[in-house]
Amino acid sequence: TMQGRAIDETTRMRQVATDQAATGNFGIEPTYWFQMQTDKINLLKTVEDRLSADLRAQATAISKAAFSAAVIAVTIAVLALGLAIALGIGLMRTVLRQLGADPARLAEVVEAVANVDLQMDLDTGKPATGIYREMQTMQQNLRERIEIGRAHV
């Protein structure tokens, strides 16, 4: 784009102006000079328009890529959070199933059994599991042993 008559002529006229700066005798018709400069400016505008279009296209591509990357990152973060929550809930259920009851209730039962308080009602209305079931069995065995001991007295 930056080749041709207008470019060559403006370069030549610039050299004439530099060479004749002291004397002022340029020998160039002002309308011709104006026309060549206008043609060169129009060529520069064509280059500028092309560079601007390329820059806009690159900016749009980068913007789309950044948006896609952000969507992927957010999606992965949400999936990771969901997986962490699901694993946490699963782990909590596994531990509670092994305990067989709420940890606070289990602590009350352990304290009662440790104090040989066998009057505490451990029946939950449903089959007990885990440590809670073992506490029920321990309470029942202690009651039976106490009854056997009373019977021998």
Side-chain angles (χ1 to χ4, degrees):
T1 301
M2 295 306 296
Q3 297 176 352
R5 181 171 174 244
I7 301 300
D8 295 341
E9 279 299 298
T10 55
T11 302
R12 183 188 68 79
M13 289 186 286
R14 179 180 293 129
Q15 188 60 47
V16 169
T18 303
D19 293 344
Q20 301 295 329
T23 61
N25 185 12
F26 301 118
I28 299 171
E29 189 65 37
T31 56
Y32 179 74
W33 177 87
F34 186 79
Q35 183 61 48
M36 290 300 110
Q37 291 297 333
T38 300
D39 291 348
K40 181 179 178 182
I41 289 170
N42 289 338
L43 291 174
L44 288 169
K45 177 66 172 139
T46 301
V47 170
E48 177 190 16
D49 290 346
R50 174 62 189 268
L51 291 174
S52 177
D54 288 350
L55 184 60
R56 273 194 296 274
Q58 286 179 342
T60 299
I62 290 170
S63 175
K64 286 180 180 179
F67 181 76
S68 295
V71 167
I72 289 170
V74 167
T75 301
I76 289 172
V78 167
L79 289 175
L81 179 63
L83 180 63
I85 289 171
L87 288 173
I89 289 172
L91 181 63
M92 181 181 70
R93 285 184 177 175
T94 300
V95 169
L96 287 178
R97 203 173 14 255
Q98 289 175 358
L99 292 177
D102 176 54
R105 172 72 175 152
L106 199 56
E108 290 174 14
V109 171
V110 169
E111 185 177 341
V113 170
N115 292 327
V116 193
D117 177 5
L118 303 179
Q119 303 307 315
M120 180 176 241
D121 184 19
L122 299 182
D123 188 17
T124 60
K126 59 183 179 182
T129 61
I131 295 174
Y132 196 76
R133 181 181 63 216
E134 299 302 321
M135 290 294 178
Q136 285 177 330
T137 303
M138 185 186 325
Q139 183 189 50
Q140 183 61 37
N141 289 343
L142 286 173
R143 282 181 183 166
E144 289 172 4
R145 287 183 181 174
I146 289 174
E147 290 300 321
I148 290 172
R150 285 184 188 160
H152 286 98
V153 174

